[in-house]
mmCIF file of all heavy atoms in Angstrom:
data_model
loop_
_atom_site.group_PDB
_atom_site.id
_atom_site.type_symbol
_atom_site.label_atom_id
_atom_site.label_comp_id
_atom_site.label_asym_id
_atom_site.label_seq_id
_atom_site.Cartn_x
_atom_site.Cartn_y
_atom_site.Cartn_z
ATOM 1 N N LEU A 317 108.471 78.686 108.304
ATOM 2 C CA LEU A 317 107.493 77.996 109.140
ATOM 3 C C LEU A 317 106.058 78.441 108.904
ATOM 4 O O LEU A 317 105.126 77.740 109.317
ATOM 5 C CB LEU A 317 107.841 78.196 110.622
ATOM 6 C CG LEU A 317 109.231 77.731 111.060
ATOM 7 C CD1 LEU A 317 109.438 78.037 112.549
ATOM 8 C CD2 LEU A 317 109.408 76.240 110.793
ATOM 9 N N ASN A 318 105.872 79.593 108.288
ATOM 10 C CA ASN A 318 104.525 80.135 108.105
ATOM 11 C C ASN A 318 104.208 80.298 106.621
ATOM 12 O O ASN A 318 105.084 80.170 105.773
ATOM 13 C CB ASN A 318 104.392 81.469 108.836
ATOM 14 C CG ASN A 318 104.653 81.337 110.321
ATOM 15 O OD1 ASN A 318 105.656 81.816 110.825
ATOM 16 N ND2 ASN A 318 103.765 80.677 111.040
ATOM 17 N N SER A 319 102.961 80.601 106.334
ATOM 18 C CA SER A 319 102.505 80.633 104.942
ATOM 19 C C SER A 319 102.250 82.030 104.399
ATOM 20 O O SER A 319 102.082 82.197 103.197
ATOM 21 C CB SER A 319 101.221 79.811 104.804
ATOM 22 O OG SER A 319 100.170 80.375 105.582
ATOM 23 N N TRP A 320 102.225 83.047 105.254
ATOM 24 C CA TRP A 320 101.752 84.355 104.787
ATOM 25 C C TRP A 320 102.684 84.984 103.746
ATOM 26 O O TRP A 320 102.211 85.684 102.849
ATOM 27 C CB TRP A 320 101.524 85.301 105.965
ATOM 28 C CG TRP A 320 102.731 85.735 106.728
ATOM 29 C CD1 TRP A 320 103.308 85.112 107.793
ATOM 30 C CD2 TRP A 320 103.506 86.928 106.510
ATOM 31 N NE1 TRP A 320 104.387 85.819 108.248
ATOM 32 C CE2 TRP A 320 104.539 86.939 107.484
ATOM 33 C CE3 TRP A 320 103.438 87.969 105.591
ATOM 34 C CZ2 TRP A 320 105.483 87.962 107.563
ATOM 35 C CZ3 TRP A 320 104.379 88.989 105.654
ATOM 36 C CH2 TRP A 320 105.376 88.984 106.635
ATOM 37 N N VAL A 321 103.972 84.733 103.842
ATOM 38 C CA VAL A 321 104.894 85.298 102.847
ATOM 39 C C VAL A 321 104.623 84.677 101.480
ATOM 40 O O VAL A 321 104.531 85.369 100.463
ATOM 41 C CB VAL A 321 106.359 85.064 103.268
ATOM 42 C CG1 VAL A 321 107.307 85.540 102.164
ATOM 43 C CG2 VAL A 321 106.666 85.798 104.568
ATOM 44 N N GLY A 322 104.494 83.349 101.440
ATOM 45 C CA GLY A 322 104.236 82.680 100.174
ATOM 46 C C GLY A 322 102.915 83.084 99.548
ATOM 47 O O GLY A 322 102.826 83.296 98.329
ATOM 48 N N VAL A 323 101.869 83.213 100.365
ATOM 49 C CA VAL A 323 100.563 83.623 99.847
ATOM 50 C C VAL A 323 100.637 85.047 99.300
ATOM 51 O O VAL A 323 100.043 85.356 98.256
ATOM 52 C CB VAL A 323 99.490 83.503 100.944
ATOM 53 C CG1 VAL A 323 98.152 84.071 100.464
ATOM 54 C CG2 VAL A 323 99.314 82.047 101.365
ATOM 55 N N SER A 324 101.369 85.908 99.975
ATOM 56 C CA SER A 324 101.514 87.292 99.501
ATOM 57 C C SER A 324 102.251 87.343 98.167
ATOM 58 O O SER A 324 101.872 88.099 97.266
ATOM 59 C CB SER A 324 102.277 88.124 100.545
ATOM 60 O OG SER A 324 101.580 88.163 101.772
ATOM 61 N N VAL A 325 103.299 86.534 98.042
ATOM 62 C CA VAL A 325 104.032 86.482 96.777
ATOM 63 C C VAL A 325 103.142 85.954 95.662
ATOM 64 O O VAL A 325 103.193 86.440 94.516
ATOM 65 C CB VAL A 325 105.300 85.607 96.929
ATOM 66 C CG1 VAL A 325 105.957 85.367 95.576
ATOM 67 C CG2 VAL A 325 106.283 86.272 97.890
ATOM 68 N N LEU A 326 102.302 84.974 95.972
ATOM 69 C CA LEU A 326 101.373 84.439 94.974
ATOM 70 C C LEU A 326 100.398 85.521 94.502
ATOM 71 O O LEU A 326 100.085 85.608 93.298
ATOM 72 C CB LEU A 326 100.606 83.252 95.564
ATOM 73 C CG LEU A 326 99.666 82.499 94.622
ATOM 74 C CD1 LEU A 326 100.445 81.885 93.462
ATOM 75 C CD2 LEU A 326 98.911 81.416 95.386
ATOM 76 N N ALA A 327 99.924 86.344 95.417
ATOM 77 C CA ALA A 327 99.030 87.444 95.035
ATOM 78 C C ALA A 327 99.746 88.433 94.122
ATOM 79 O O ALA A 327 99.174 88.909 93.125
ATOM 80 C CB ALA A 327 98.507 88.152 96.283
ATOM 81 N N LEU A 328 101.000 88.746 94.442
ATOM 82 C CA LEU A 328 101.768 89.650 93.584
ATOM 83 C C LEU A 328 101.990 89.050 92.205
ATOM 84 O O LEU A 328 101.927 89.755 91.188
ATOM 85 C CB LEU A 328 103.112 89.961 94.245
ATOM 86 C CG LEU A 328 103.071 90.915 95.446
ATOM 87 C CD1 LEU A 328 104.422 90.948 96.147
ATOM 88 C CD2 LEU A 328 102.658 92.309 95.006
ATOM 89 N N ALA A 329 102.242 87.739 92.158
ATOM 90 C CA ALA A 329 102.420 87.072 90.869
ATOM 91 C C ALA A 329 101.133 87.125 90.053
ATOM 92 O O ALA A 329 101.164 87.342 88.833
ATOM 93 C CB ALA A 329 102.854 85.620 91.082
ATOM 94 N N GLY A 330 99.982 86.941 90.713
ATOM 95 C CA GLY A 330 98.706 87.041 90.019
ATOM 96 C C GLY A 330 98.461 88.433 89.473
ATOM 97 O O GLY A 330 97.994 88.599 88.333
ATOM 98 N N TRP A 331 98.803 89.448 90.276
ATOM 99 C CA TRP A 331 98.657 90.827 89.804
ATOM 100 C C TRP A 331 99.554 91.077 88.589
ATOM 101 O O TRP A 331 99.119 91.680 87.601
ATOM 102 C CB TRP A 331 99.025 91.793 90.929
ATOM 103 C CG TRP A 331 99.232 93.192 90.456
ATOM 104 C CD1 TRP A 331 98.279 94.122 90.178
ATOM 105 C CD2 TRP A 331 100.495 93.809 90.162
ATOM 106 N NE1 TRP A 331 98.856 95.279 89.735
ATOM 107 C CE2 TRP A 331 100.224 95.129 89.720
ATOM 108 C CE3 TRP A 331 101.827 93.388 90.239
ATOM 109 C CZ2 TRP A 331 101.238 96.006 89.355
ATOM 110 C CZ3 TRP A 331 102.835 94.266 89.869
ATOM 111 C CH2 TRP A 331 102.541 95.561 89.442
ATOM 112 N N PHE A 332 100.794 90.606 88.660
ATOM 113 C CA PHE A 332 101.728 90.820 87.564
ATOM 114 C C PHE A 332 101.239 90.129 86.293
ATOM 115 O O PHE A 332 101.275 90.708 85.194
ATOM 116 C CB PHE A 332 103.111 90.283 87.956
ATOM 117 C CG PHE A 332 104.152 90.430 86.881
ATOM 118 C CD1 PHE A 332 104.748 91.648 86.627
ATOM 119 C CD2 PHE A 332 104.523 89.335 86.106
ATOM 120 C CE1 PHE A 332 105.707 91.786 85.631
ATOM 121 C CE2 PHE A 332 105.482 89.463 85.108
ATOM 122 C CZ PHE A 332 106.073 90.688 84.877
ATOM 123 N N ALA A 333 100.759 88.886 86.427
ATOM 124 C CA ALA A 333 100.292 88.137 85.265
ATOM 125 C C ALA A 333 99.094 88.811 84.621
ATOM 126 O O ALA A 333 99.018 88.953 83.388
ATOM 127 C CB ALA A 333 99.960 86.704 85.667
ATOM 128 N N ALA A 334 98.127 89.227 85.444
ATOM 129 C CA ALA A 334 96.934 89.880 84.903
ATOM 130 C C ALA A 334 97.285 91.206 84.234
ATOM 131 O O ALA A 334 96.759 91.542 83.164
ATOM 132 C CB ALA A 334 95.909 90.101 86.018
ATOM 133 N N ASN A 335 98.170 91.943 84.861
ATOM 134 C CA ASN A 335 98.561 93.241 84.309
ATOM 135 C C ASN A 335 99.299 93.077 82.983
ATOM 136 O O ASN A 335 99.056 93.822 82.023
ATOM 137 C CB ASN A 335 99.437 93.979 85.320
ATOM 138 C CG ASN A 335 99.552 95.463 85.021
ATOM 139 O OD1 ASN A 335 98.553 96.179 85.035
ATOM 140 N ND2 ASN A 335 100.752 95.925 84.751
ATOM 141 N N ARG A 336 100.188 92.096 82.910
ATOM 142 C CA ARG A 336 100.925 91.841 81.670
ATOM 143 C C ARG A 336 100.001 91.384 80.544
ATOM 144 O O ARG A 336 100.263 91.643 79.366
ATOM 145 C CB ARG A 336 102.000 90.791 81.913
ATOM 146 C CG ARG A 336 103.138 91.240 82.788
ATOM 147 C CD ARG A 336 104.137 92.091 82.059
ATOM 148 N NE ARG A 336 104.815 91.355 80.995
ATOM 149 C CZ ARG A 336 105.837 91.820 80.307
ATOM 150 N NH1 ARG A 336 106.311 93.020 80.566
ATOM 151 N NH2 ARG A 336 106.402 91.104 79.351
ATOM 152 N N ALA A 337 98.927 90.700 80.920
ATOM 153 C CA ALA A 337 97.976 90.233 79.916
ATOM 154 C C ALA A 337 97.018 91.336 79.468
ATOM 155 O O ALA A 337 96.177 91.110 78.594
ATOM 156 C CB ALA A 337 97.184 89.048 80.456
ATOM 157 N N GLY A 338 97.135 92.517 80.069
ATOM 158 C CA GLY A 338 96.284 93.629 79.678
ATOM 159 C C GLY A 338 95.011 93.739 80.477
ATOM 160 O O GLY A 338 94.080 94.440 80.081
ATOM 161 N N PHE A 339 94.957 93.059 81.637
ATOM 162 C CA PHE A 339 93.749 93.098 82.460
ATOM 163 C C PHE A 339 94.138 93.542 83.868
ATOM 164 O O PHE A 339 94.066 92.773 84.830
ATOM 165 C CB PHE A 339 93.078 91.717 82.491
ATOM 166 C CG PHE A 339 92.575 91.271 81.154
ATOM 167 C CD1 PHE A 339 93.390 90.532 80.307
ATOM 168 C CD2 PHE A 339 91.305 91.610 80.719
ATOM 169 C CE1 PHE A 339 92.944 90.122 79.066
ATOM 170 C CE2 PHE A 339 90.852 91.208 79.476
ATOM 171 C CZ PHE A 339 91.668 90.468 78.641
ATOM 172 N N GLY A 340 94.565 94.795 83.979
ATOM 173 C CA GLY A 340 95.012 95.320 85.265
ATOM 174 C C GLY A 340 93.858 95.779 86.138
ATOM 175 O O GLY A 340 92.691 95.797 85.731
ATOM 176 N N LEU A 341 94.209 96.161 87.352
ATOM 177 C CA LEU A 341 93.219 96.656 88.300
ATOM 178 C C LEU A 341 92.866 98.115 87.995
ATOM 179 O O LEU A 341 93.691 98.868 87.475
ATOM 180 C CB LEU A 341 93.769 96.565 89.724
ATOM 181 C CG LEU A 341 94.031 95.157 90.272
ATOM 182 C CD1 LEU A 341 94.798 95.251 91.590
ATOM 183 C CD2 LEU A 341 92.719 94.411 90.468
ATOM 184 N N GLY A 342 91.648 98.481 88.346
ATOM 185 C CA GLY A 342 91.264 99.882 88.243
ATOM 186 C C GLY A 342 91.957 100.708 89.310
ATOM 187 O O GLY A 342 92.604 100.182 90.224
ATOM 188 N N ARG A 343 91.818 102.013 89.228
ATOM 189 C CA ARG A 343 92.522 102.914 90.147
ATOM 190 C C ARG A 343 92.147 102.651 91.601
ATOM 191 O O ARG A 343 93.018 102.526 92.467
ATOM 192 C CB ARG A 343 92.199 104.371 89.769
ATOM 193 C CG ARG A 343 92.869 105.400 90.670
ATOM 194 C CD ARG A 343 92.436 106.809 90.269
ATOM 195 N NE ARG A 343 92.983 107.813 91.150
ATOM 196 C CZ ARG A 343 94.183 108.340 91.026
ATOM 197 N NH1 ARG A 343 94.972 107.947 90.047
ATOM 198 N NH2 ARG A 343 94.609 109.267 91.867
ATOM 199 N N ARG A 344 90.866 102.555 91.881
ATOM 200 C CA ARG A 344 90.397 102.368 93.260
ATOM 201 C C ARG A 344 90.890 101.041 93.821
ATOM 202 O O ARG A 344 91.390 100.961 94.945
ATOM 203 C CB ARG A 344 88.873 102.449 93.284
ATOM 204 C CG ARG A 344 88.255 102.646 94.669
ATOM 205 C CD ARG A 344 86.746 102.837 94.543
ATOM 206 N NE ARG A 344 86.122 103.056 95.820
ATOM 207 C CZ ARG A 344 85.932 104.240 96.398
ATOM 208 N NH1 ARG A 344 86.350 105.333 95.761
ATOM 209 N NH2 ARG A 344 85.346 104.358 97.568
ATOM 210 N N ALA A 345 90.751 99.984 93.018
ATOM 211 C CA ALA A 345 91.195 98.664 93.452
ATOM 212 C C ALA A 345 92.717 98.596 93.538
ATOM 213 O O ALA A 345 93.267 97.943 94.434
ATOM 214 C CB ALA A 345 90.670 97.592 92.498
ATOM 215 N N GLY A 346 93.406 99.258 92.628
ATOM 216 C CA GLY A 346 94.863 99.238 92.633
ATOM 217 C C GLY A 346 95.447 99.867 93.887
ATOM 218 O O GLY A 346 96.430 99.370 94.446
ATOM 219 N N ILE A 347 94.858 100.960 94.327
ATOM 220 C CA ILE A 347 95.317 101.607 95.558
ATOM 221 C C ILE A 347 95.131 100.668 96.743
ATOM 222 O O ILE A 347 96.019 100.538 97.605
ATOM 223 C CB ILE A 347 94.570 102.937 95.777
ATOM 224 C CG1 ILE A 347 94.988 103.952 94.717
ATOM 225 C CG2 ILE A 347 94.824 103.478 97.178
ATOM 226 C CD1 ILE A 347 94.178 105.235 94.749
ATOM 227 N N LEU A 348 93.992 99.993 96.807
ATOM 228 C CA LEU A 348 93.734 99.061 97.896
ATOM 229 C C LEU A 348 94.707 97.882 97.852
ATOM 230 O O LEU A 348 95.221 97.454 98.888
ATOM 231 C CB LEU A 348 92.293 98.556 97.830
ATOM 232 C CG LEU A 348 91.897 97.498 98.866
ATOM 233 C CD1 LEU A 348 92.205 97.978 100.284
ATOM 234 C CD2 LEU A 348 90.418 97.140 98.725
ATOM 235 N N PHE A 349 94.976 97.361 96.660
ATOM 236 C CA PHE A 349 95.920 96.249 96.521
ATOM 237 C C PHE A 349 97.291 96.660 97.067
ATOM 238 O O PHE A 349 97.923 95.915 97.837
ATOM 239 C CB PHE A 349 96.027 95.838 95.058
ATOM 240 C CG PHE A 349 96.801 94.573 94.830
ATOM 241 C CD1 PHE A 349 96.140 93.361 94.693
ATOM 242 C CD2 PHE A 349 98.183 94.592 94.740
ATOM 243 C CE1 PHE A 349 96.848 92.186 94.473
ATOM 244 C CE2 PHE A 349 98.905 93.427 94.531
ATOM 245 C CZ PHE A 349 98.233 92.220 94.396
#
Side-chain angles (χ1 to χ4, degrees):
L317 302 178
N318 301 110
S319 63
W320 67 272
V321 175
V323 174
S324 299
V325 171
L326 185 62
L328 286 170
W331 166 80
F332 179 77
N335 197 62
R336 291 281 296 188
F339 296 91
L341 295 170
R343 179 183 176 84
R344 196 175 181 90
I347 292 173
L348 176 54
F349 189 97

